[in-house]
Amino acid sequence: MVFLKVSQGKEVGKGEASAASIAQEAFEFIYQMSPMEGARPGERYLEFAHFEPLAAAVHLNLEDLSFYLLAFLADESPKINYKIPEKRFVALMTALAGALPRSAGVPSRENGFAPLFAAAHTAVIDLNARLRASEELRVKFYHFLYNWCLKTNKATDRVDIAKELWSFFFSASPLSFTKEEAKLKFTAYVCFPRINQWLNFITIMSEKAKNTNQNGSALDQMGVPLDTWSQLIPFAKMESYNEYDDEDSWPVAMDDFVEYVQQLKKHKEA
């Protein structure tokens, strides 16, 4: 494949079709590791069975939020839990393939599409840096996590999924990273000093909901409500609950959590 320079100073493949062809081949490379029966081209997805080989190819970790950032790059407004649509993935890879420099080499099955997946890795790192610099983008990514992992999820472990995502996204300690450290750290985007207490509280309320099936509890059988998820970022910024007012339209979960924290404080002082 011959690489040509374009006016912006980038070097791309010989025409957009070449980049798109490479991107489609990269999709097939990952997809065929665990093909889904009955799926037609253009209507296929990368899903759980593909995530481990894809994460390995892009040098991302399934034990932090780096792979979620890749999914966010592919599809900011997902409609289905834990699935990356073929069209979205190919579009992302087409853009990356089109911007590859000549020195990167030609992505192919023979080299495991390494140059392309290396570009994807760089794109994730760049996004991570922008995420830390932009509150608007952080909030957008946070809502993506809900939409991709929880919104229509009917699995019995969805509260555990929410807890894991919260443990990745929030930090109990003030955020203090160098610029280079921050780019390569895929956890701790918002400081929430009481995150560990929050996770313990969520566990307690989840068990209570399972045992009593009581209407009106902070967590019902549908898992984590959207308003609880959405309001946790502004709630996390509260330095003290001394002036917390449960009439201020906070979700019920926040009201119950403040009461939980105050009870813990009373027991500690007793």
Side-chain angles (χ1 to χ4, degrees):
M1 177 177 177
V2 179
F3 283 78
L4 302 174
K5 289 188 176 181
V6 295
S7 59
Q8 290 87 347
K10 295 180 180 179
E11 296 172 334
V12 299
K14 192 176 181 180
E16 185 177 345
S18 296
S21 176
I22 289 174
Q24 186 64 51
E25 289 176 15
F27 174 85
E28 300 293 346
F29 177 72
I30 297 296
Y31 183 80
Q32 291 303 324
M33 293 182 183
S34 186
M36 301 298 164
E37 292 185 10
R40 294 183 294 180
E43 299 177 356
R44 297 173 296 178
Y45 299 89
L46 298 180
E47 43 195 305
F48 277 122
H50 305 105
F51 290 171
E52 188 171 343
L54 178 57
V58 187
H59 297 289
L60 301 177
N61 195 335
L62 295 176
E63 302 301 322
D64 58 24
L65 291 177
S66 57
F67 187 82
Y68 296 82
L69 286 171
L70 178 65
F72 181 60
L73 276 172
D75 188 3
E76 293 184 0
S77 302
K79 302 295 188 295
I80 306 177
N81 292 137
Y82 292 114
K83 291 188 178 183
I84 303 174
E86 176 179 356
K87 291 180 181 179
R88 297 285 188 174
F89 182 83
V90 170
L92 172 62
M93 293 298 138
T94 298
L96 294 174
L100 283 174
R102 181 183 304 172
S103 59
V106 182
S108 66
R109 284 184 175 271
E110 287 69 26
N111 58 26
F113 295 91
L116 180 58
F117 291 139
H121 181 83
T122 299
V124 169
I125 291 175
D126 290 345
L127 173 60
N128 196 45
R130 289 189 285 117
L131 206 69
R132 294 196 179 279
S134 169
E135 182 175 5
E136 181 180 356
L137 189 57
R138 276 196 304 276
V139 171
K140 190 173 184 178
F141 176 60
Y142 181 70
H143 285 297
F144 161 84
L145 292 174
Y146 185 87
N147 290 332
W148 199 50
C149 305
L150 296 168
K151 186 175 181 179
T152 59
N153 194 338
K154 299 185 183 302
T156 57
D157 65 344
R158 54 195 175 276
V159 173
D160 291 331
I161 293 170
K163 286 166 54 183
E164 181 178 63
L165 294 173
W166 278 327
S167 71
F168 289 155
F169 192 83
F170 293 98
S171 169
S173 304
L175 307 183
S176 179
F177 315 120
T178 66
K179 188 175 181 179
E180 288 305 309
E181 287 173 340
K183 286 172 60 177
L184 299 174
K185 186 175 179 63
F186 298 100
T187 59
Y189 294 93
V190 172
C191 179
F192 183 9
R194 297 186 184 277
I195 182 60
N196 293 324
Q197 285 183 319
W198 172 259
L199 296 177
N200 289 337
F201 164 76
I202 291 296
T203 299
I204 292 170
M205 296 306 296
S206 177
E207 290 302 317
K208 180 180 178 181
K210 289 177 183 177
N211 293 333
T212 65
N213 198 19
Q214 183 179 14
N215 291 330
S217 61
L219 296 176
D220 58 24
Q221 294 303 307
M222 292 305 293
V224 178
L226 175 59
D227 62 341
T228 298
W229 181 272
S230 300
Q231 291 299 312
L232 193 57
I233 288 183
F235 182 77
K237 297 177 181 178
M238 295 185 67
E239 295 182 2
S240 170
Y241 300 149
N242 292 337
E243 298 182 4
Y244 181 88
D245 188 347
D246 58 11
E247 299 296 325
D248 284 345
S249 300
W250 289 104
V252 173
M254 277 64 175
D255 296 342
D256 292 346
F257 177 67
V258 170
E259 183 179 350
Y260 168 77
V261 170
Q262 291 172 340
Q263 288 177 349
L264 288 178
K265 184 178 180 181
K266 288 179 181 178
H267 286 309
K268 188 175 181 179
E269 293 174 347

